[in-house]
Amino acid sequence: MTQRYYLTTPIYYVNDDPHIGHAYTTLACDVLARFKRLDGFDVKFLTGTDEHGQKVAKSAADAGVDPKAFTDRVSQNFRDLADALNFSHDDFIRTTEDRHKTASQAIWKAIAAGKSPKGNDNIYLASYPGWYAVRDEAFYSEDELTTGADGKKIAPSGAEVEWVEEPSYFFRLSDWQDKLLEFYDANPDFILPKTRRNEVTSFVSGGLQDLSVSRTTFKWGVPVPGDDDHIMYVWLDALTNYITGVGYPETETGEYATYWPADLHMVGKDILRFHAVYWPAFLMAAGLEPPKRVFAHGWWTNEGEKISKSLGNVIDPYDLVEKYGLDQVRYYLLREVPFGNDGDFSHTSMVNRMNGELANDLGNLAQRVLSMVAKNCDGAVPEPGDFTSEDRELIDWAPSLLKGLRAHMDGQMFHLYLEAVWQAIRAANGYVDTQAPWKLAKEDTARMGTVLYVLAETIRQIAIVLQPFMPDSMGRMLDQLAVGPDHRSFFYLDGDKLVSGSALPKPEGVFPRYQEEEGKGDG
Ligand code: ME8
């Protein structure tokens, strides 16, 4: 039976300009989605835009436009980003779509219809007097706040808070504490990395306050079923996108039955609490299963500085791609930093990776081998003789390592995956040096044919397992090896070998070096 894999990015605040943080979360999901597809899974990969709430309403008002027209326009920015970064999502959800209004109202009704574990109504009407940060769309208690230089109260995220006093429906989160702790205990990998898991469990162990889940002082949101004076709190609406995406409230058939619970919600560390505390509590209260995993990745700084609009150092993903190349950026972001840790973007580290690992280690390997094949083997895959043990070590690499690569991917350890592949690339480069096929071309052409076959076959395997990270470049590398588009899945790592005698196209470099003087790659 085909295995399913459902993964999601956060839906992005539609009013923001796309930045490296958005690109990073979605890239991680894209690589995972591509890996799973190549590994034979039936994948659903969801992304989209978060379009309700006070923050978006305010941006629309500032732009002098009605919020619907505003969101229709700016939501396109995130589709454009997805195209520019070659993301392979299967669905793009906008929370202003009808399907999402239906799902949000349905989950509200399901929660309201149920009782908490202590036998209380899950939702009750009261009034909220307290602090709210529009930027985070989050409520904060007095003891979480600090006072800024200008006397204004500041949330732990750095966002300014304002005092809000209004009638509000509350979700009885406090009654769900034990159920959440039991759930974390029974599912030790629900929150990764482990350090983040510890933060969440200690937060929940410290006791939970009921959560205000509706607003009355503005209108831009999903109306609360049965009470049009209220709109749903934007985070309850936003989190619901993950089940809207699989057709909720239809749960018995269709995509919900196929894909839910989601295998993975990928998020940044700043929004972990919403995903690992509120979301499973909402779902359990609605009688639905929580997702299998929430992975919280770290944050990027720019040349050592926190990224912020006011500092003017926001990293624009379009600029990065234009300057360094798409696959180079995709590679760098997932190679440079152990996934889960914070990372610092720097021009120097980008160029080092690009020139050292892509242009030298991998690009040169392919270019040298394919040029020798073109020159010495009439441009066709050579005929190998008997394999030595050194030959076997290389040529049998990928099938035996796929198990390890799967484990790295399943743990979202992208950097370890790449490191494991680079060990093979380094081994192949070492083999080129010791076997010296350019010498064999003069002394022993039969052995030269074997060595070049082993190398070309190794490059085929490497290119196949690197496709999730660098789909375009590895596609071009596989083209140069005359590997057909329908022979590029992991099934063919072992199931196929290069066929001697196949004509190969003229070799071309895949990874240009970045040249500092000209500020551009040299092609
Ligand atoms: O939070 N480095 O949307 P958002 C790495 N709408 N990641 C970063 C980053 C940085 N410097 N800056 C931001 C929301 N991010 C909600 C989600 S989901 C139901 C609703 C990440 O547009 C951040 O951690 O603010 C988050 O995952 C995403 O980019 C920004 O999301």
Side-chain angles (χ1 to χ4, degrees), residues 9-13 16 19-22 24-25 50 55 78 235 238-239 241-242 266-271 275 297-301 307:
T9 72
I11 44 170
Y12 301 107
Y13 284 127
D16 281 341
H19 58 64
I20 193 172
H22 307 119
Y24 187 53
T25 321
D50 187 353
K55 171 152 110 166
F78 286 89
W235 269 100
L239 288 160
N241 93 86
Y242 301 130
M266 183 67 81
V267 300
K269 63 180 183 180
D270 54 322
I271 54 173
H275 284 81
H297 68 63
W299 270 45
W300 284 89
T301 49
I307 296 174

Side-chain angles (χ1 to χ4, degrees), residues 327-361:
D327 281 351
Q328 285 82 346
V329 170
R330 289 177 57 112
Y331 173 79
Y332 170 85
L333 290 176
L334 293 177
R335 180 67 189 92
E336 181 65 11
V337 179
F339 199 67
N341 294 6
D342 291 335
D344 183 41
F345 179 89
S346 78
H347 171 72
T348 311
S349 61
M350 174 79 223
V351 171
N352 285 345
R353 295 263 175 213
M354 189 174 161
N355 286 353
E357 288 160 16
L358 296 180
N360 282 358
D361 294 347

